[in-house]
Amino acid sequence: MAPQEFIAAIGVSAQASMRLTKIPASFTIAQSALESSWGGSQLSTLGCNLFGVKADSSWKGATLNLPTKEFLSGKWVIVPATWRKYANWLDCLNDHGAFITGNKRYQPAFAHTGDPEAFAKAIAVAGYATDPQYSGKIISVIRTHNLTSFDRGAHD
């Protein structure tokens, strides 16, 4: 899916999520774009999982088993993983909001709800992904596609 098409498909839902969760819509859009390859990854097409959220023992919904690339001990490796599976992207976006707001390790990010770049850095520091360049990649997507425009007015 082309970036503009993907952004149009989830932008309004990301803004609705922001009103409920305070997670910057620009961050939600950029993170989902990065994690799902603009909605084209196998995980997003087979499992409607836009954020790469794995299914741990607390997850009671459907799952999907697919390998993933992790940065471990200073190198990239392929490992098996069990992922959360959703009926549609809206369910995924709603769960993403609950996952981020309900996980104590991400709470420091909420000191930066008015600054999506600082929010992205805080989520990365909290260990959302193993990629050491994670926050930089999200920030690049935010800047390249002017996603902060989705943050304006979303608190109204």
Side-chain angles (χ1 to χ4, degrees):
M1 182 176 292
Q4 288 310 117
E5 187 180 357
F6 180 82
I7 293 165
I10 70 162
V12 171
S13 295
Q15 287 178 310
S17 176
M18 181 175 173
R19 283 190 289 277
L20 292 173
T21 65
K22 307 301 182 224
I23 299 168
S26 59
F27 171 82
T28 298
I29 296 166
Q31 186 185 34
S32 62
L34 178 65
E35 290 283 350
S36 74
S37 297
W38 299 101
S41 72
Q42 195 174 20
L43 183 59
S44 65
T45 57
L46 297 177
C48 293
N49 187 328
L50 298 173
F51 299 95
V53 178
K54 292 178 182 164
D56 62 14
S57 60
S58 69
W59 177 248
K60 303 303 180 208
T63 62
L64 179 64
N65 293 307
L66 290 172
T68 187
K69 189 164 72 168
E70 301 278 354
F71 193 78
L72 303 171
S73 301
K75 63 181 179 180
W76 288 102
V77 295
I78 303 293
V79 297
T82 302
W83 306 95
R84 295 180 181 198
K85 184 177 180 180
Y86 304 96
N88 53 57
W89 284 2
L90 182 58
D91 287 352
C92 177
L93 283 161
N94 290 336
D95 185 58
H96 173 259
F99 179 79
I100 296 290
T101 59
N103 194 318
K104 289 186 195 312
R105 72 178 173 166
Y106 301 125
Q107 290 313 300
F110 288 90
H112 308 287
T113 56
D115 182 348
E117 293 186 14
F119 191 92
K121 289 175 186 174
I123 292 291
V125 166
Y128 190 92
T130 60
D131 183 348
Q133 304 300 317
Y134 193 69
S135 63
K137 291 176 180 178
I138 290 173
I139 291 166
S140 177
V141 173
I142 290 170
R143 290 178 180 172
T144 299
H145 298 280
N146 190 30
L147 296 180
T148 56
S149 64
F150 285 88
D151 298 334
R152 291 188 278 281
H155 288 298
D156 301 338

